[in-house]
C-alpha cells in the first residue's frame, strides 16, 4: 500500500509539472528578442559587446541587432536570417532550475557567388510560460 501511495504521488507530481507551452514560432522568437531590445549588454556576461561604429559606452541589445542585421546594407552580398528553439534548462537568479526555450537568431552573409563572408549568432532563453527574454541568458557569437 505504501508503494502505491508513493507511485501515485510521483505520478501526480509529474503530471502537474508538465509543460504545456508549444514551441514558439519564428515570429514569436523575434518579437521576444525585440521586446528585450533595451537590455544593456554589459549586464549580460556572455554578450558584453562593444561597437566601434556606434561609439557608445553601454550598448543595448537593439544596437547589437542593428549591427548584425545591417551586414549587406550596400552590397551585392546575400544575408540569411534564421531562428530556432529547443527545450532546455536555465538556472535563474535565485538558483532555481527552470524549463525554457533555448532560442537562436543566426545571421549568415555570403557573396553573390556563395562564398562565406560573416556569421553572427545571438542565443537566448525564453520563459516557457510568458515567452519573455530571460535575464543572463544572452550569448553572442
Amino acid at each position: 500500500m505504501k508503494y502505491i501511495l508513493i507511485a501515485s504521488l510521483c505520478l501526480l507530481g509529474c503530471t502537474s509539472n508538465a509543460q504545456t507551452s508549444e514551441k514558439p514560432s519564428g515570429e514569436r522568437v523575434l518579437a521576444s528578442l525585440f521586446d528585450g531590445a533595451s537590455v544593456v549588454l554589459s549586464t549580460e556576461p556572455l554578450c558584453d559587446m562593444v561597437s566601434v561604429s556606434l561609439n557608445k559606452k553601454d550598448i543595448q541589445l537593439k544596437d547589437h541587432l542593428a549591427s548584425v542585421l545591417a551586414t549587406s546594407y550596400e552590397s551585392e552580398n546575400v544575408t540569411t536570417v534564421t531562428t530556432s528553439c529547443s527545450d532546455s534548462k536555465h538556472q535563474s537568479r535565485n538558483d532555481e532550475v527552470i524549463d525554457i526555450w533555448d532560442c537562436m537568431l543566426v545571421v549568415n552573409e555570403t557573396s553573390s557567388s556563395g562564398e562565406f563572408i560573416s556569421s553572427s549568432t545571438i542565443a537566448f532563453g525564453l520563459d516557457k510560460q510568458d515567452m519573455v527574454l530571460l535575464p543572463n541568458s544572452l550569448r553572442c557569437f
Side-chain angles (χ1 to χ4, degrees):
M1 183 68 177
K2 177 171 129 180
Y3 296 109
I4 294 173
L5 179 60
I6 291 172
S8 299
L9 287 174
C10 179
L11 184 59
L12 284 173
C14 295
T15 303
S16 65
N17 288 331
Q19 293 294 329
T20 58
S21 64
E22 292 182 23
K23 193 175 203 176
S25 66
E27 184 177 42
R28 183 66 238 160
V29 170
L30 288 173
S32 297
L33 192 59
F34 295 153
D35 285 345
S38 62
V39 170
V40 176
L41 295 186
S42 61
T43 65
E44 292 287 331
L46 300 177
C47 194
D48 189 3
M49 307 297 282
V50 296
S51 174
V52 175
S53 61
L54 293 175
N55 196 22
K56 286 181 158 184
K57 181 180 178 189
D58 287 321
I59 68 168
Q60 297 177 331
L61 178 56
K62 66 182 174 184
D63 301 319
H64 184 55
L65 285 168
S67 295
V68 167
L69 294 171
T71 55
S72 293
Y73 178 64
E74 290 187 45
S75 72
E76 297 297 319
N77 295 342
V78 176
T79 301
T80 58
V81 178
T82 58
T83 60
S84 63
C85 293
S86 59
D87 281 313
S88 191
K89 304 276 185 195
H90 179 72
Q91 187 171 350
S92 67
R93 288 183 175 172
N94 62 356
D95 291 333
E96 178 185 5
V97 176
I98 58 173
D99 291 321
I100 65 165
W101 290 113
D102 190 29
C103 301
M104 291 191 314
L105 168 71
V106 179
V107 180
N108 288 310
E109 183 177 16
T110 57
S111 69
S112 57
S113 62
E115 296 170 324
F116 174 82
I117 295 175
S118 69
S119 176
S120 296
T121 300
I122 301 172
F124 52 98
L126 289 182
D127 180 278
K128 278 201 167 188
Q129 301 306 315
D130 302 331
M131 297 292 177
V132 296
L133 182 70
L134 293 168
N136 296 317
S137 72
L138 276 171
R139 286 124 30 231
C140 298
F141 311 99

